[in-house]
Amino acid sequence: MGGELRYEIAQNAYIKLVLHALKHKSSAVNAVLLGRVSSQNDAVEITDSVPLFHSQIGLLPQLEISLILIEEHYAAKGVSIVGYFHANERFDDHELGGIAKNIGDHIYRYLPQAAILLLDNRKLEALTRTKDRSPVMQLYTKDASRIWKLVGSDGNQLTIKEPSSNVVLLDYISTEKWQDVVDFDDHLDDISKDWLNPELFK
């Protein structure tokens, strides 16, 4: 099943991840992916994302608190954590690091279909020239040996639900929309800042 499983990400979930990374270009950032496994479509549907941290992203207490709050909030909507997103600190770093794997492992324990998405800065930078419709992310899943492996770059296993999402993303980038993204770091500094980002796409 693992090899055939597809991952489909909704436009707002996708854009929120990229904007969060752009807001903190000189830092590693992370987020969780929310959605559900659709057995009839053989797909993991990623319907939302929650930006987590942009400083000290490997600290366990903050991570555990954030995951509990996220799970409690989304459980009522019939949605659960289905994966993890990571953007490396350095632009030229395209490797999935230890922290990303460890957090991915934690999510995998509860959901074997979990995925890790790693921001691909090369694809993001090229967007303005290429007008590519595929996600600017690399997809990692666990194989039979339980090791995180990069899934083929043919673009079939990870798709964006709305084909024009990169056009919308470029528009948001041109208007510096990333400044409006709130993550858990921001919320912990000032609890009036809402980590659900309800106003982001209004």
Side-chain angles (χ1 to χ4, degrees):
M1 181 180 171
E4 298 304 310
L5 203 61
R6 293 181 305 102
Y7 295 80
E8 181 184 72
I9 187 166
Q11 176 173 290
N12 286 357
Y14 169 73
I15 289 175
K16 201 187 307 180
L17 295 171
V18 180
L19 292 179
H20 182 223
L22 288 171
K23 183 176 182 178
H24 304 285
K25 281 184 180 174
S26 59
S27 307
V29 303
N30 61 358
V32 289
L33 312 173
L34 294 130
R36 58 184 65 84
V37 178
S38 170
S39 52
Q40 65 188 76
N41 297 334
D42 260 349
V44 175
E45 298 167 352
I46 303 163
T47 56
D48 204 352
S49 60
V50 176
L52 292 176
F53 305 106
H54 60 268
S55 65
Q56 301 172 327
I57 64 172
L59 286 182
L60 209 52
Q62 286 94 319
L63 178 65
E64 288 179 342
I65 290 167
S66 65
L67 291 179
I68 289 167
L69 288 172
I70 292 165
E71 284 170 349
E72 284 178 355
H73 176 82
Y74 281 92
K77 301 177 185 301
V79 171
S80 58
I81 295 173
V82 295
Y84 172 76
F85 168 81
H86 191 90
N88 287 321
E89 181 176 357
R90 290 194 345 267
F91 180 88
D92 61 350
D93 184 356
H94 312 294
E95 297 297 316
L96 191 65
I99 290 173
K101 289 176 183 174
N102 289 342
I103 298 173
D105 286 346
H106 175 75
I107 296 168
Y108 177 84
R109 272 187 229 120
Y110 299 95
L111 185 80
Q113 300 94 333
I116 297 177
L117 299 182
L118 180 68
L119 183 69
D120 187 332
N121 283 309
R122 295 164 298 190
K123 285 184 83 171
L124 178 58
E125 188 183 42
L127 255 193
T128 50
R129 299 188 308 276
T130 62
K131 307 290 188 249
D132 192 349
R133 288 177 168 232
S134 63
V136 293
M137 297 166 188
Q138 298 172 358
L139 171 67
Y140 287 81
T141 59
K142 282 211 173 185
D143 62 9
S145 60
R146 301 217 168 168
I147 294 170
W148 290 105
K149 288 273 174 69
L150 177 62
V151 176
S153 56
D154 56 12
N156 292 338
Q157 274 193 268
L158 175 65
T159 57
I160 311 172
K161 189 173 183 182
E162 297 84 353
S164 60
S165 293
N166 280 338
V167 175
V168 178
L169 172 61
L170 286 171
D171 186 49
Y172 281 140
I173 291 171
S174 70
T175 59
E176 299 187 359
K177 185 76 172 168
W178 64 73
Q179 294 181 25
D180 301 333
V181 176
V182 173
D183 65 13
F184 257 93
D185 267 336
D186 300 323
H187 176 72
L188 293 173
D189 288 341
D190 177 357
I191 59 166
S192 71
K193 293 183 175 177
D194 192 343
W195 52 268
L196 288 168
N197 288 283
E199 304 297 315
L200 187 61
F201 298 111
K202 289 189 175 169

